Every structure is written in C-alpha cells, then in structure tokens.
Amino acid sequence: MDLQKTNVVVIGAGTVGSMALWQLSKREGIDVVGIEQYGRVHSHGSYAGESRVFRTAVHEGGTYVGMIQRSRDLWRELERESGRSIYLEAGCLSIAPEGFPDLVTALGTVQEFGIPHRTLTTEELRREYPQHLVQDGDIGLLDAHGGGLRPEVAVMSALDIAERNGARLLFNTAVLGIEERADGVVVRTTQGSWLADTVVVASGSWSGRLSPELHDLLRLQVLGLTWFMPRDPDAFAPERFPAFLRDSGPVHFFGAPSFDGYAFKACTNPEWPVFRDPSEVPTSHTREELIKIGQRAAELFDGINPEPVRQSVHHCAYTPDRLPVVDVNASGRVVTIAGLSGHGFKFSPRLGEFAAALATGSSPADAGIDPRFALASHLERLAVLGAYTGGGH
Ligand SMILES: Cc1cc2nc3c(=O)[nH]c(=O)nc-3n(C[C@H](O)[C@H](O)[C@H](O)COP(=O)(O)OP(=O)(O)OC[C@H]3O[C@@H](n4cnc5c(N)ncnc54)[C@H](O)[C@@H]3O)c2cc1C
C-alpha cells in the first residue's frame, strides 16, 4: 500500500475540523492535512442553517463559561484574519416565567462570573421588545455578549486561513477507516491512504462509523430549523431584535434575528426519536409538524405569517449529559472531539485549540481540558445515565 506521509490528519472539515485546522496551521513546522467527505462548506453537517445562537449566560453551568469566553476572543480573531463578519453581538434574550429552572441557573452564572447582562420585567419586555408576545409573569435576561454566529462563514474562513497558512485540504474524499501501528496511524480514504503521526477525529454525526466506542456513546438528535416572515421585518433586524431563547409552558423556542432582511429564525423541535447514523435521520419536517410549529410561533411573536418561509432538518451527535468528548488515546496518536450535543458551535474555536494541543503532544491536563470530557469518563457515566436528553443551542 502506497502511503502519503504527514504529521497530522484532521478527519472532517466541519465545525471542529475547520477550527482544528486553523489552530494547527498556525504552528511552525507541522504538516497538516484535512480530509472532508463533502465539498468545502456544505449543507449536510451539523453547522448548516445560516446562524447559531451565541450565549455567555449559559444555563449549562460554569464548565462552559471559560470555553465560551475564550471562544469569543477567537471569533473576533477569526473575523480580523478573514475580513468577514461572523459574530453579531446583538445580545441574547432569554424569556421565561420567573423561577424557570434554566433561567435561574443562567442568572446564577452571570452573577458568579460577572457576565454583562440586564434583567427585564414583564412590562419592560412588552415595552422594549414588542416583537415577543409575553405572558404575565414572564421575565427576561439579556446577555450583552450573546448574539448570532454565521456558521457557514465561520467554517469557510477557518478553512481558508488554514490553507493560506499551508494546510492541505482534500474535499469529496471520505475516510474509510483508521488503524494504529508502531510508526503512526494509517488513514484509509476513498482517494488513497495516509500515514500520520497523529489524527484528529472531528467527524461529527458520522463519528460512530470510525470508532466502536463512539458508536456506543453517541446518539443523533434531530434539530429542525424554521424561518418566519414578520409583517414588519425591520423590527426583527439585529439592531432591534437579539437572538433569543423562549420558554412558555412546555414549549421551547430559540432563534436569531433576520439576517436576510425578510425573515427571522424561530424554531422548536417536534418529538423526534434518536438515531445512530445520519442515513436514518428524516430530511424534512412533515406538513403537520410545520403547521403546529407555525401555530406556536404565532402565539409567541407579533405579526408573523404562521407558514415557515424556509425550513430544514439537521442532526447532531449527543452524549447523555451533553458534555463534549475531548480525548486523546493511550498512545497519544488519536485525538477525538465529538458529541457537541446541540450547543457546541459557540465554543468550537476553543475545541480547535484543544485539538491542536493534544495532537502536538500536550496532555489533557496541560491543555486545561475538563477530565469529564475524556472518552473513558463518558463511557463510565453512560452506564449510569443511559437516557439522552434533547435540547440545543
Ligand atoms: C439545527 C442545529 C442548531 C444548532 N444550534 C446551535 C446553537 O444555536 N448554538 C450552538 O452553539 N450550537 C448549536 N448547534 C450545535 C452545533 O452546531 C453542532 O454541535 C456542531 O456544529 C457540531 O460540529 P461537529 O464538528 O461535531 O460536526 P460537523 O460540523 O457536522 O462536522 C463534521 C464533518 O465531518 C465530515 N465527515 C464525517 N465523516 C467523515 C469521513 N469519514 N471522512 C471525511 N469527512 C467526514 C462531515 O462531512 C462534516 O463536514 C446546533 C446544531 C444543529 C444541528
């Protein structure tokens, strides 16, 4: 078998892969190759769909705050290096009944970490954000550093910069398998094979195809996106309408301001089952699902047409407790970053730094990685937790 040689192969040039390639390409003397099964920035990955919510006032707790704050600096750096607009600091507004558990946790987080924010009463919400139809007793938390990210632009920018820095990128090339041997890792692809000192597995929802442990651990949750046309599109522009999370009774909505000038994103998820492989995931909402989502949206937002003007269905790999997998195996040759669990886009630049550190010999502790992210730790918890919770952003 003819083997081409390199220092690091990154498998998957999506969210984590592009950030890993960007970070690795900055390191002197490292030859790096990125291998992607589809083209450069495509519609099949977990990053597709125009925008991602960025929040610093997270209800998931303090573990995430450091990763998100560091990522905020890196998003700005990526904008500077690429000359493109990626991070719209429009704020992120969480609205829920007073005492709603996620809101209480988020309020605790902003206080503990001194995150710039504002709390809003029902009256203030009605006065300042009339686009939201709120119930008596609803309150708001405005996360000043929150907002919207442009995922496709982000991935494109990170790949372009990596390539400019010397990384070699192969598209429409699928990795078929990886195999460790004494002198490195053999990466078999549809276009020949590579021998790398280390590999970074960043293959998202497809990761279970390359590793039996990830096949056991990860489940694919389905996440649908819908966009609605408001009567007054200007009221939903980023200057007037922050990204948002809404909880009203059992209904959870999330979304982003209008980026296209005619529609804004407002999404909620029907009860979809979990899947093992992307090939099993539905590719569209049903008519009934769209009617129901539109009816709920019309109850929450002022003056919108209840028929979604755009819709798409995606998938993302989840771990049971939604902590990501950030791991390097015993030989130090196989780095894995997976299971971003519907909320990992915002801190993916930090994951790119973790990938670069682990792939060039740092230990997880030296790289500042939470020990609970290790694959062995996840597999121990899997036995206890069992069930997978949904949710995203
Ligand atoms: C609809 C939706 C909404 C979301 N909303 C938010 C949000 O608001 N905020 C937030 O922070 N997060 C959000 N998330 C989560 C976040 O977008 C994902 O967790 C993240 O994009 C996953 O990144 P990834 O690198 O693991 O996967 P991907 O970005 O999908 O990258 C994996 C890449 O690997 C490639 N690949 C796979 N297998 C192979 C192979 N064998 N050979 C070569 N290439 C391969 C794939 O083609 C793909 O390009 C959302 C997710 C979804 C789906």
Side-chain angles (χ1 to χ4, degrees):
M1 175 166 52
D2 257 359
L3 291 174
Q4 303 180 74
K5 293 194 176 160
T6 184
N7 298 124
V8 187
V9 164
V10 176
I11 303 173
T15 310
V16 172
S18 65
M19 298 299 148
L21 286 158
W22 174 35
Q23 294 301 329
L24 281 160
S25 74
K26 293 191 208 178
R27 300 195 172 211
E28 287 291 318
I30 304 275
D31 187 57
V32 56
V33 173
I35 304 180
E36 167 57 48
Q37 63 183 347
Y38 295 113
R40 182 192 300 256
V41 184
H42 54 81
S43 58
H44 310 281
S46 298
Y47 60 85
E50 187 186 72
S51 60
R52 289 290 179 268
V53 176
F54 183 79
R55 291 176 290 126
T56 60
V58 286
H59 56 71
E60 290 93 333
T63 323
Y64 291 89
V65 174
M67 293 197 294
I68 291 170
Q69 288 182 332
R70 171 68 186 145
S71 293
R72 183 169 175 267
D73 295 340
L74 291 168
W75 288 124
R76 287 288 183 230
E77 188 179 317
L78 188 59
E79 287 191 314
R80 277 195 304 278
E81 282 192 34
S82 67
R84 295 182 178 130
S85 162
I86 295 167
Y87 164 38
L88 262 83
E89 205 173 63
C92 181
L93 181 59
S94 298
I95 300 177
E98 194 165 7
F100 184 76
D102 283 355
L103 194 59
V104 172
T105 324
L107 280 164
T109 303
V110 293
Q111 270 141 24
E112 184 181 346
F113 295 93
I115 292 169
H117 71 282
R118 229 189 110 198
T119 50
L120 290 97
T121 63
T122 315
E123 283 322 306
E124 286 168 331
L125 283 170
R126 285 185 176 138
R127 197 169 52 242
E128 296 179 41
Y129 297 103
Q131 306 91 328
H132 288 280
L133 300 174
V134 299
Q135 302 287 317
D136 290 344
D138 278 349
I139 58 163
L141 168 62
L142 182 65
D143 171 359
H145 285 172
L149 294 162
R150 291 194 159 105
E152 289 89 351
V153 183
V155 171
M156 178 67 87
S157 300
L159 294 179
D160 286 354
I161 295 167
E163 207 167 38
R164 203 164 72 204
N165 291 345
R168 284 178 284 170
L169 306 182
L170 311 178
F171 295 104
N172 299 307
T173 305
V175 170
L176 303 172
I178 54 176
E179 197 184 307
E180 263 198 88
R181 54 185 220 192
D183 57 345
V185 186
V186 176
V187 179
R188 260 183 327 109
T189 84
T190 46
Q191 321 272 348
S193 296
W194 291 81
L195 178 65
D197 300 331
T198 51
V199 302
V200 176
V201 178
S203 45
S205 298
W206 293 263
S207 301
R209 292 186 186 176
L210 294 175
S211 141
E213 288 94 348
L214 294 176
H215 183 75
D216 288 345
L217 176 69
L218 301 176
R219 294 290 180 281
L220 306 191
Q221 300 266 6
V222 187
L223 291 150
L225 301 177
T226 37
W227 285 258
F228 294 92
M229 283 178 79
R231 207 178 297 127
D232 176 11
D234 290 348
F236 290 80
E239 307 78 57
R240 291 171 61 189
F241 188 71
F244 64 86
L245 306 185
R246 293 273 319 252
D247 284 282
S248 173
V251 180
H252 175 77
F253 259 80
F254 67 97
S258 179
F259 285 5
D260 57 21
Y262 73 93
F264 77 107
K265 189 173 176 180
C267 325
T268 190
N269 281 296
E271 300 250 316
W272 276 307
V274 293
F275 296 94
R276 291 273 187 145
D277 191 85
S279 59
E280 303 163 353
V281 175
T283 52
S284 177
H285 295 89
T286 63
R287 178 99 300 263
E288 292 70 31
E289 285 164 353
L290 291 176
I291 289 172
K292 216 164 165 185
I293 295 168
Q295 283 167 346
R296 287 175 174 169
E299 288 161 14
L300 295 178
F301 303 97
D302 186 43
I304 65 160
N305 180 29
E307 174 66 23
V309 69
R310 286 158 64 196
Q311 65 87 30
S312 52
V313 171
H314 309 268
H315 46 76
C316 188
Y318 279 59
T319 62
D321 54 13
R322 301 184 62 203
L323 292 173
V325 177
V326 182
D327 186 74
V328 58
N329 73 347
S331 68
R333 292 200 187 276
V334 180
V335 175
T336 301
I337 304 202
L340 274 62
S341 304
H343 57 186
F345 196 86
K346 63 180 75 59
F347 53 79
S348 58
R350 181 66 175 138
L351 297 178
E353 284 190 326
F354 288 159
L358 296 177
T360 53
S362 289
S363 69
D366 288 346
I369 297 166
D370 187 324
R372 292 175 303 163
F373 295 177
L375 190 49
S377 174
H378 274 285
L379 292 170
E380 274 168 28
R381 293 197 303 279
L382 174 65
V384 182
L385 288 166
Y388 288 69
T389 51
H393 27 278

